[in-house]
Amino acid sequence: MGKLLVYLKDYKKESVLGPLFKLLEASFELIVPLVVASMIDVGIANGDKGYIIKMCLIMTAFGLIGLVCAVTAQYFAARAAVGFATRLRHELFAHIQRLSFSQMDKEGTSTLITRMTSDINQVQSGVNLVLRLFLRSPFIVFGAMIMAFTVDVKAALIFVVVIPVLSVIVFGIMLISIPLFKKVQAGLDGVLGITRENLTGVRVIRAFGEEEGEIHKFDTETDALKRMQMFAGRISALMNPLTYVVINGGLIVLIYVGAVRVEAGILTQGQVVALVNYMSQILVELVKLANLIITVTKAVACGNRIESIFEIQAGLKEADTVHTAQGEDKNRIKGSEKESGTVEFDHVSLRYHAGGEEALTDIHFKANRGDTIGVIGGTGSGKSSLVNLIPRFYDIERGSVKVDGVDVREYPLAKLRDKIGIVMQKAVLFEGTIRENLLWGNENASEEELWEALRTAQAEEFVLQKEKKLEERIEQEGRNLSGGQKQRLSIARALVKKPEILILDDSASALDYATDAALRKSIREMPGETTVFIVSQRASSLLHADTIIVLDDGNVAGMGTHQELLRDCQVYQEIYYSQFERKEGAKA
């Protein structure tokens, strides 16, 4: 948690002024019991109404000044806390963006969302309360004890006993609560994960009639979370009754001792009232401190969870220097013209996690500029893993992946990915207009370039049918579009970029055969020599590829043209004939 406080450095002034104004408010609050004592001992005892009015005006003035100080302190504390949380959220989001796909898969989406939302909100509340109360409450507690000594030393000894007892209760409960709240937050992660899974997979759940099972699973998780929260809540709830018992016990002793000393003429009635007021102030402030401790406990637990994400070193290290083919130091990597647009896999092996099985083993091939490379294989054979190595979404274990003759690990990631247009296996569109989604590919693209990309992606027709054309709104994840429309827009977005290397990762699975064929034809006819990688389950989509790579359980089972593989590769034969047999059977 301590490492996160660096994000308060831009709010040093607010972090100082907030507690300072709270201390000013507390100082006026400590003077009030003495004013009340003076009012009783002088004004009421002597029947001096003018003195009583004078003291009332002084108390009113203290109250107004204290109010102004409290509001000012709240303003500075809120400004610092909100600013701190905003910067922390920005930095955490930026750090998550730098994590590799493997690290994101390991941490889990639900965990990262919890860190970004509820955990940061809890830390923000903790920082706000600390700036307002962390100094004020102890100041009032010990200030009240010191002021009690100025009134009467013997009676003030009661404060010396009460305050340590209260401190043991407060900090003891805090030490027990911290690990409990950590478990509660971990349980919240689990509930969020199930909720997200159910919402994203609601159609599948309904299709298989698994509503009751998922409801039972969700109820089980939420019941477990409820039990953890109730147990942690019960421990925390002990704080108030225990502190009230101790304080009220102290008040009973204080009133008894005060009565005896008033009877003996050592204390005045006003002084006893002042001592009781100081004890009451201690009670109020310790209740506040108890609540502060609970909030801070939660904030520290959440802060440690956030810090654990920051401690994950970015899996993809960017090159410190950039090179050219001639070894010159330039602002960007530039391979030779001969190697431009080429992709080479040099005996590449990939393992997602240390100690895990190899996802790809000894992949070796070279794609020249303008080539079309097809990648086919069974489910889980490593097709997507292979093409994801080109933009360096994962780092390889052995060998090298070269783009334009340069190892991808020597590229700044932005420069590398600027050369590549990729359409993921799952089409993802963002909330906004069609134009805004297309401009992700190239924010400076002209109107004609957008329509050209749509034509190539076979998306022009359905966009023209929309009432607002390019200004038509798309809902989050493209919920108001069909699967084929989402895929075609995703392809158009990649084409707007005019990449040197285009990767289509099973991105035409929702298209019919005629549209798929028209798409491949238009991509082949694009101006320039774009190197194209097509990952597909359909053998028909790869018939005209210059080279087809057949993967089987992470290994290359065959490589060559369609005719060569159909003759020599058993895995390819099984895939091809099974698909065409089904197609012929369907026609019959």
Side-chain angles (χ1 to χ4, degrees), residues 134-246:
F134 189 69
L135 291 180
R136 183 189 190 280
S137 293
F139 181 80
I140 289 283
V141 170
F142 291 104
M145 184 176 70
I146 292 169
M147 296 299 286
F149 271 102
T150 65
V151 175
D152 184 67
V153 174
K154 186 175 181 181
L157 292 175
I158 299 169
F159 290 75
V160 177
V161 175
V162 169
I163 291 174
V165 173
L166 289 171
S167 299
V168 169
I169 292 171
V170 169
F171 288 102
I173 290 176
M174 180 188 72
L175 291 175
I176 297 171
S177 298
I178 286 178
L180 292 177
F181 283 119
K182 285 183 179 178
K183 290 182 180 179
V184 168
Q185 287 300 120
L188 183 62
D189 277 352
V191 171
L192 182 61
I194 291 176
T195 305
R196 179 179 178 275
E197 187 178 56
N198 276 268
L199 290 176
T200 54
V202 64
R203 295 184 180 184
V204 177
I205 292 169
R206 290 178 181 175
F208 285 89
E210 290 293 324
E211 293 94 336
E212 292 299 324
E214 290 301 319
I215 290 171
H216 175 72
K217 181 180 175 183
F218 181 79
D219 287 345
T220 302
E221 285 290 327
T222 50
D223 285 344
L225 178 61
K226 180 188 74 174
R227 287 193 294 272
M228 285 190 290
Q229 286 177 321
M230 288 180 67
F231 182 66
R234 287 190 185 105
I235 299 296
S236 298
L238 290 173
M239 187 101 62
N240 282 1
L242 289 177
T243 52
Y244 271 101
V245 167
V246 174

Side-chain angles (χ1 to χ4, degrees), residues 374-430:
V375 184
I376 196 169
T379 302
S381 59
K383 303 184 297 297
S384 295
S385 301
L386 186 145
V387 293
N388 281 335
L389 296 179
I390 300 172
R392 201 186 169 202
F393 290 149
Y394 298 97
D395 261 341
I396 59 176
E397 185 172 274
R398 292 192 302 274
S400 64
V401 179
K402 296 179 181 178
V403 172
D404 294 355
V406 180
D407 194 311
V408 293
R409 289 168 291 193
E410 296 181 20
Y411 277 93
L413 292 175
K415 295 292 182 185
L416 171 65
R417 292 168 185 171
D418 191 48
K419 294 173 173 284
I420 301 166
I422 185 166
V423 184
M424 298 288 190
Q425 197 167 13
K426 179 183 177 183
V428 176
L429 297 174
F430 297 90

